Amino acid sequence: AQSVTQLDSHVSVSEGTPVLLRCNYSSSYSPSLFWYVQHPNKGLQLLLKYTSAATLVKGINGFEAEFKKSETSFHLTKPSAHMSDAAEYFCVVSDPPRSGGGADGLTFGKGTHLIIQP
Amino acid sequence: ETGVTQTPRHLVMGMTNKKSLKCEQHLGHNAMYWYKQSAKKPLELMFVYNFKEQTENNSVPSRFSPECPNSSHLFLHLHTLQPEDSALYLCASSRRLAGGDRTYNEQFFGPGTRLTVL
């Protein structure tokens, strides 16, 4: 079974300062991990993904995340926040597919609401 | 533009009504999903279809009935809903890709249908 814990329901930072959104996961296998962003009244957009290659993953809009297996963490960071970054962020885990193929749903964290102060 | 469209974007219905949500993906994917997003709860996977075959039903009440006539279209038929079913219903699609020694499950989301049950 897989699960995701987003440690903060709300994070508030000033524009131009670093952003850190924390995520811990639990999986019986070597999972795939994602961060999605959801702006108000919009669908979810993929920010970045970790599959099996480099542990430091770069995404869109200057975001990056580091996979740390020993800590079972996949924290999302950005060096300098922008007002347009205000949104809901979801950490997501996906176990490897079952043998024989087939599609699998994702397991979402509860989300972190990022607030950017001017 | 995510390539996944959902209609209607907003729906208000009474508990005795019958309505349907529609999702269409233009990405050539082979898997489609329904998720429910309620306030203050994580996204919940409802149904998974892979090559038009339902492969997962996450203990969803029978008042929700999915239909997948082809790999590009997905419906969610609603009848005798309850007020607690009010939520944002998100559709997603994916295509299995090989990433090194593992496959991953990147899903593309539609904008959602905001459902209110009176």
Side-chain angles (χ1 to χ4, degrees), chain B residues 40-118:
Chain B
K40 304 187 186 302
K41 292 177 68 175
L43 269 81
E44 302 169 64
L45 177 67
M46 300 175 72
F47 300 104
V48 181
Y49 276 83
N50 189 37
F51 289 106
K52 303 186 296 178
E53 298 293 325
Q54 187 179 133
T55 57
E56 192 159 343
N57 174 342
N58 263 11
S59 303
V60 180
S62 60
R63 57 186 183 271
F64 294 91
S65 174
E67 178 190 1
C68 189
N70 55 63
S71 56
S72 298
H73 293 86
L74 184 65
F75 295 89
L76 187 62
H77 304 301
L78 316 171
H79 65 97
T80 60
L81 294 192
Q82 304 297 312
E84 60 264 30
D85 296 323
S86 299
L88 182 68
Y89 288 84
L90 291 163
C91 173
S93 69
S94 72
R95 177 172 66 93
R96 273 297 165 75
L97 297 172
D101 59 348
R102 290 198 278 126
T103 61
Y104 60 91
N105 185 13
E106 178 179 347
Q107 295 184 13
F108 294 79
F109 285 81
T113 295
R114 174 71 61 187
L115 174 66
T116 303
V117 181
L118 302 176

